[in-house]
Amino acid sequence: MRLTHLPVAAIAQLVALAIPPRCPGCGVAVEEDHRFCATCWSALRFLGDPACAACGLPMAIDQGPGMRCAPCLTRPRVHDGVRAAVAYGPVARDVALKLKYGGRLALATTMARLMMRHLSMDATCLIPVPLHRRRLWTRGYNQSVLIADALGRMRGVPVLRDTLRRSRATPPLRGMDGRARVKTVRGAFVVADPAAVAGQSVVLVDDVHTSGATVDACATALLRAGAARVMVLCWARVVGADD
């Protein structure tokens, strides 16, 4: 019997036997696409409450809605809060790097599936953190756009891919202290179409959250353009960094 005469489900089973799904972390065979093996799954640290309402860092004691950590009370955030699926660690890092530099585009969906539980129900649009055009030409894609597209398909929320733009190239922030990071990205983002974000409840989508300087600069541009609020949602966030 030719493959064209087989039911779709049967063809899918044959493909799965020939090319079994692989763990996004280590690459061993698993039962389904986007599923981690037991070892990698147990190595992921999932984030949730209790956490600071502003920066999303875990807190030992639940002090109720809206609680903020000491640094956020001292230095209020521009945006309305950060949420991340997992803490940055070996497995989370490897998944992010495979998407960002390894061309493993399907991992955007893997990330989005675990980010979904943190996506605000009142979000009216998703906006990915943009790359500068030179970096986009070099890499060929923006990983934050791919993640935002996956989230948008799952939740049915529109993705505004070109509304927020990086107006100038900035050097990598790795190795800089907090003040240097803020200075480097200050004014680096512009809203191409303010009308598109006016009154919107925006969710800013990124892969990894480190110091927060980049998303602060993005949120500042969006709020100045008229966004009602800006939440930040990412795959992984560094826990213990100087935020």
Side-chain angles (χ1 to χ4, degrees):
M1 180 181 295
R2 292 186 301 175
L3 285 178
T4 52
H5 294 158
L6 290 174
V8 173
I11 294 175
Q13 289 178 346
L14 290 174
V15 172
L17 288 173
I19 310 174
R22 299 287 176 177
C23 170
C26 66
V28 303
V30 291
E31 293 180 359
E32 297 178 9
D33 289 329
H34 310 294
R35 177 172 292 185
F36 290 85
C37 69
T39 301
C40 288
W41 182 262
S42 63
L44 290 170
R45 179 184 174 187
F46 293 92
L47 299 179
D49 293 328
C52 173
C55 71
L57 282 176
M59 300 182 75
I61 301 174
D62 190 345
Q63 301 175 14
M67 64 179 177
R68 283 168 166 72
C69 65
C72 288
L73 288 173
T74 303
R75 181 168 59 92
R77 300 284 167 167
V78 175
H79 50 69
D80 289 88
V82 177
R83 287 293 178 267
V86 296
Y88 192 74
V91 175
R93 177 199 62 218
D94 288 350
V95 172
L97 291 178
K98 287 174 184 177
L99 171 61
K100 192 171 185 176
Y101 300 116
R104 299 280 300 278
L105 306 190
L107 291 177
T109 299
T110 304
M111 296 178 181
R113 284 160 61 104
L114 295 179
M115 293 164 62
M116 271 290 294
R117 65 193 177 97
H118 293 299
L119 180 56
S120 175
M121 294 300 296
D122 64 356
T124 57
C125 67
L126 306 176
I127 295 183
V129 171
L131 293 176
H132 187 265
R133 60 181 180 276
R134 289 206 296 267
R135 189 168 297 176
L136 184 59
W137 291 337
T138 300
R139 189 176 302 164
Y141 59 90
N142 179 353
Q143 71 279 358
S144 296
V145 170
L146 299 177
I147 297 170
D149 283 346
L151 285 166
R153 288 193 299 271
M154 294 175 191
R155 180 61 67 81
V157 179
V159 180
L160 307 183
R161 299 174 187 83
D162 301 313
T163 298
L164 182 65
R165 297 179 181 176
R166 193 181 290 252
S167 59
R168 58 180 171 82
T170 56
L173 302 183
R174 184 176 303 151
M176 297 184 187
D177 61 23
R179 290 185 178 180
R181 289 176 182 232
V182 170
K183 183 177 180 180
T184 299
V185 297
R186 183 181 292 129
F189 300 93
V190 296
V191 178
D193 182 10
V197 301
Q200 298 271 19
S201 180
V202 176
V203 172
L204 189 64
V205 179
D206 205 1
D207 55 348
V208 177
H209 182 87
T210 309
S211 72
T214 297
V215 294
D216 280 357
C218 290
T220 296
L222 290 165
L223 292 168
R224 285 177 177 171
R229 65 195 298 260
V230 178
M231 294 286 296
V232 180
L233 178 59
C234 56
W235 156 243
R237 70 148 299 139
V238 174
V239 174
D242 180 13
D243 280 352

